[in-house]
Amino acid sequence: MSVRKYKIHVPATTANVGPGFDVCGIALSLSLTLDVSIPSDGTGDVNPTIEYSGLDSANVPLSPYKNLLTRVALYVLRANGITAFPRGVHIHAHNEIPFGRGLGSSGAAVIAGVLLGDLLGGFKFPTARLLDYALMVERHPDNVTAALVGGFVGSYLRELSEDDIKAAAVPLAEVLPEFPPDAGPDWGPNPPQAPGGIGHYVRFGWAPEIKAIAVMPRFELATAKSRGVLPETYSRKDMVFNLQRLAVLTTALARSPPDAELIYEAMKDRIHQPYRVPLIPGLQTILSELTYTSHPGLLGICLSGAGPTILALATDNFESIAAEIVRIFKTENIEVDWKVLDVDTKGSWVEEIDA
Ligand SMILES: Nc1ncnc2c1ncn2[C@@H]1O[C@H](COP(=O)(O)OP(=O)(O)OP(=O)(O)O)[C@@H](O)[C@H]1O
Ligand SMILES: N[C@@H](CCO)C(=O)O
């Protein structure tokens, strides 16, 4: 039996980068990779088989109707009139991105699922269309855009026409329905098609000497919970505070050599971090005690995505910066892991593997 084999590679991401709440994302050098095999002769099980290795894989559902990767892939297929997976598909997912830590694990899974659906359906969608499908699932663009295109990215959601607003506002439950235990091919109605051109982005420059220190507490904080503590409205003062910093930050991080004083202040935020402090013991102390003067080499420090990971951008002294963050978390009895990561400039890719 001949089998076509593919590799799908998606990077981790950090979102917000201080003042850019729901706007900015950076792709980082951890990844989710899928090895996908598809029999050419259309034989095999009607349902894909899934296996995992790597981080946090013990409790991932392996039913293709429960697993996030395959549910997203099935959404892309069904939105385009294909009601079932091709027969005999096998997926091996290898994960380096810790779940629920603010390093874009769900965004990576959504992008991997969209690329999987595109591959299985043979659609060959352009990047902008892949992003539409991802945005129908994860409705803030920062993680998924950076994971798809790589680098340091800013994105916005287009103001949609009335019909498109309706289409884009369908409940997530219709995009990714709760498949019943006995679900199989042809279950349920087809989901809504994604409106075109929902998300738009630009890639900023990045000074090559800047690396990302990720200090990852060993507890999960669901993004939904961390968004749940944010207010609906903000004062003009706080909005202006963030806008001023964001405008400076996007260019400052591209300048070589980086200006630590400029970047440190430009990475401050008043829109999400202050509200998330109660969910992440030690966050307030970390944000106020580590500065570019107390720790030479440090450029700026913020919460990574929805937390609880701390992101420190730095050019030097990575170990001593990480050690201080580790120490502060320890005073709160929080164990952590830490890594120095590079910025991934390639983004997601799919490659056919020679048999
Ligand atoms: N590779 C994967 N396969 C299947 N499910 C996954 C995968 N990666 C993440 N998930 C699901 O997404 C959940 C984590 O999503 P969540 O949005 O809470 O955190 P995150 O994406 O890691 O953080 P953030 O969005 O702040 O960067 C996991 O608990 C799991 O249910
Ligand atoms: N911008 C998002 C990123 C997390 O996915 C947030 O901070 O909630």
Side-chain angles (χ1 to χ4, degrees), residues 193-232:
Q193 184 53 274
I198 312 174
H200 295 263
Y201 62 88
V202 65
R203 267 186 68 163
F204 306 120
W206 186 262
E209 59 268 55
I210 307 179
K211 293 191 188 299
I213 306 167
V215 183
M216 303 163 276
R218 289 192 195 149
F219 69 89
E220 282 192 40
L221 174 55
T223 300
K225 180 172 175 192
S226 192
R227 290 177 82 80
V229 299
L230 303 181
E232 280 295 322

Side-chain angles (χ1 to χ4, degrees), residues 25 70 80 100 160 183 185 293 309:
T70 37
N80 291 285
L160 300 170
T293 46
T309 290

Side-chain angles (χ1 to χ4, degrees), residues 19 238-248:
D238 286 350
M239 287 309 297
V240 170
F241 181 96
N242 270 47
L243 288 171
Q244 288 174 336
R245 279 155 187 77
L246 184 57
V248 171

Side-chain angles (χ1 to χ4, degrees), residues 15-16 21-22 138 140 142-143 223 227 230 272 276 305-306:
N16 306 326
F21 175 72
D22 276 3
E138 180 144 314
H140 46 90
D142 39 0
N143 293 105
T223 300
R227 290 177 82 80
L230 303 181
H272 71 108
R276 288 170 163 169

Side-chain angles (χ1 to χ4, degrees), residues 270-292:
R270 286 194 183 162
I271 286 188
H272 71 108
Q273 290 178 173
Y275 303 96
R276 288 170 163 169
V277 162
L279 300 175
I280 303 150
L283 173 61
Q284 189 55 58
T285 312
I286 290 166
L287 293 178
S288 54
E289 285 196 2
L290 280 96
T291 69
Y292 67 97

